[in-house]
Amino acid sequence: MVGQDVAPARPAVVENRHPQYAYPPAFLFISNGKRVDESYRSVIRWSEGPWSSTGSSDIAEMPILLKDNIETADMPTTAGSLALADNAPGRDAPLVARLRAAGAVIVGKTNLSEWANIRSSDSISGWSAVGGQTLNPYDPARTPCGSSSGSGAAVALGLTPAAIGTETDGSITCPASVNGVVGFKPTVGLVSRTHIVPISHSQDTAGPMAATVRDAARVLTVIAGSDPADAATVEADARKTDYAAALDAGSLRGARIGVMRFLKGYSPETQAVFEQNLQALRDAGAVLIDLPEGPDGRTLGEAEFKVLLYELKHDLNAYLASTDPTQVKTRTLAEVIAFNAAEPRETVLFGQDIFEQAQALGGLDDPDYVQARATSLRLAGEEGIDRLMRAHSLSALVAPTTSRAWTNDPKDDDDMQGAASRLAAVAGYPHLTVPMGFDRNMPIGLSFIGGKWDDARILSLGYAFEQATQARRPPPVSRP
């Protein structure tokens, strides 16, 4: 049976400290969420409480789900892998501590593409050995994308107003786009990565996924900030602001927006919706500048992948060494590879060729790595986003985030079409996706990309677009 939305976005409760942002008790969200999510498997684990809200921010009592590569003191953190099934070191990641201090209520962990999609070139988005296959709420036969699959699907289903995802390249923005929600990848260094299962210290970041830009901005305001254990965040306290207060529905007026025409491969249907939304930007007062040429995408992609391989081995080994050896027996990437090879539940659908490639490489002092990182950063940053924005005096770049969700069947010809994530991911710059319409009844998003520390501006431009278009439509949820 096809029903209406799962629940009102802001149901009223008695004596809430922030009546404009009133939420029912966490146990109601959880009981409702368990019922609705039974068919979609976006949540890998629900919190057993106790749930308390002692903060006084405007996200006090907001229920939030976390991707299951982010540590919490009260739940295991598995990254979807059976090798980490007992990984419960009893510590909150700094971003989680910030959420709790602000009064947010952590109600559970979301499923993800196992090891954040870095294990195999044949990996299936939204599948993990621990959580199974997360389904797209708009069409269960189509991908939820990844690797923050469960976070995107959960917000689309209305299980919580917001969730936290992580991104190395596209892992917040793609699942947000194909699940019809807002996703924001901040500037790398704005949000701490400590106690998050890593891939790449050059590109990894956590960020909010939400039903609205305002909710994403409110959550970002809380989780942003410096962390002595994460050297990349040294400037975060000085750079952060109240991102929700900075939102301006009129911010598109006079804004110069670069249209990344050099990005190819989108479906004709997505391209048509994109052109309609370019007109919506013009109608809101933006000045659009077509950009027919960008950096060398092939060279950039090759250099990026090499960097990810080297950093995966280094960073994952460091993370595993920080876990409790009585809980996590696999202490290195090499031991995880051996574990997977001996565990048929891990390799039932695909192998681990990327893990094996990473393991074969040397350390971060290898000249091959040093050159690859310099090349990727130069092409994405100095000769990519920075050059384009400086040459045309731009406020932001835009493109379709990707086309409609492809099928979950790896054997058919329906595959991903187009992607806007690489430049911002490699440069470490902010990238926001906002729902812009539908491609054959599947949601698609519009990407806003800016320069380093342009997070507030990008969120405000996306907010102005969201308010002008109101394109988001929740999925028709089949109630169990």
Side-chain angles (χ1 to χ4, degrees), residues 262-263 294-304 379 422-423:
F262 56 86
L263 295 180
D296 181 348
R298 181 181 295 274
T299 301
L300 173 58
E302 291 172 351
E304 178 196 21
L379 289 174
R422 176 165 287 156
L423 284 179

Side-chain angles (χ1 to χ4, degrees), residues 19-324:
Q20 70 271 40
Y21 301 126
Y23 303 102
F27 75 89
L28 290 181
F29 264 93
I30 291 174
S31 61
N32 184 58
K34 287 180 178 178
R35 178 174 57 84
V36 173
D37 194 48
E38 183 179 357
S39 300
Y40 299 96
R41 299 191 290 278
S42 67
V43 177
I44 208 168
R45 182 177 298 101
W46 293 97
S47 171
E48 297 180 357
W51 308 287
S52 61
S53 175
T54 58
S56 58
S57 76
D58 67 359
I59 69 164
E61 301 181 9
M62 177 190 276
I64 290 182
L65 286 159
L66 305 174
K67 186 176 180 180
D68 194 31
N69 59 351
I70 302 170
E71 289 191 6
T72 61
D74 57 337
M75 289 177 279
T77 300
T78 72
S81 171
L82 296 171
L84 298 184
D86 297 322
N87 180 34
R91 59 195 184 190
D92 278 342
L95 78 84
V96 177
R98 286 177 175 272
L99 288 169
R100 294 197 202 274
V105 182
I106 309 304
V107 295
K109 297 285 201 75
T110 57
N111 196 21
L112 67 161
S113 311
E114 185 171 317
W115 293 109
N117 253 351
I118 197 67
R119 197 186 89 185
S120 169
S121 55
D122 295 320
S123 66
I124 300 171
S125 286
W127 182 89
S128 73
V130 174
Q133 179 66 58
T134 294
L135 303 180
N136 189 309
Y138 288 86
D139 183 348
R142 295 189 172 275
T143 184
C145 200
S147 60
S148 304
S149 316
S151 295
V155 172
L157 288 165
L159 304 188
T160 54
I164 304 296
T166 65
E167 176 162 326
T168 305
D169 186 341
S171 285
I172 289 174
T173 52
C174 182
S177 178
V178 305
N179 287 286
V181 301
V182 172
F184 185 63
K185 183 200 82 72
T187 295
V188 171
L190 185 61
V191 177
S192 168
R193 289 89 52 87
T194 300
H195 303 327
I196 299 176
V197 182
I199 292 176
S200 160
H201 59 267
S202 293
Q203 295 182 207
D204 287 353
T205 185
M209 303 171 77
T212 67
V213 175
R214 181 169 294 279
D215 273 350
R218 292 163 59 213
V219 171
L220 181 65
T221 299
V222 169
I223 64 174
S226 299
D227 167 20
D230 184 352
T233 67
V234 66
E235 293 185 57
D237 280 347
R239 297 285 185 173
K240 70 174 292 187
T241 187
D242 185 331
Y243 296 99
L247 299 177
D248 178 4
S251 60
L252 283 167
R253 286 193 296 270
R256 293 174 59 82
I257 307 294
V259 182
M260 294 189 285
R261 298 290 188 186
F262 56 86
L263 295 180
K264 308 294 184 183
Y266 299 102
S267 71
E269 293 85 356
T270 288
Q271 194 65 44
V273 175
F274 178 55
E275 297 299 332
Q276 294 168 8
N277 281 278
L278 292 180
Q279 186 57 50
L281 292 173
R282 294 186 190 97
D283 292 344
V287 178
L288 303 189
I289 296 92
D290 281 350
L291 304 173
E293 296 182 358
D296 181 348
R298 181 181 295 274
T299 301
L300 173 58
E302 291 172 351
E304 178 196 21
F305 185 59
K306 188 171 292 184
V307 168
L308 298 188
L309 290 177
Y310 274 97
E311 293 189 359
L312 169 64
K313 181 180 180 181
H314 176 274
D315 295 2
L316 185 56
N317 282 346
Y319 173 79
L320 292 171
S322 79
T323 62
D324 184 337

Side-chain angles (χ1 to χ4, degrees), residues 346-429:
E346 283 288 354
T347 54
V348 64
L349 294 177
F350 50 85
Q352 51 182 338
D353 60 296
I354 296 179
F355 270 12
E356 291 164 348
Q357 289 178 63
Q359 179 57 31
L361 296 175
L364 300 187
D365 57 350
D366 190 318
D368 199 31
Y369 163 76
V370 175
Q371 181 177 356
R373 180 54 185 153
T375 298
S376 65
L377 189 58
R378 172 177 53 81
L379 289 174
E382 180 185 348
E383 296 179 12
I385 295 172
D386 295 341
R387 179 183 64 82
L388 292 170
M389 295 189 69
R390 183 174 58 249
H392 301 281
S393 301
L394 301 177
S395 299
L397 307 172
V398 296
T401 306
T402 188
S403 301
R404 72 164 177 171
W406 57 100
T407 68
N408 289 322
D409 186 351
K411 297 179 181 178
D412 67 20
D413 294 328
D414 192 352
D415 204 351
M416 187 176 190
Q417 293 180 281
S421 62
R422 176 165 287 156
L423 284 179
V426 176
Y429 294 175

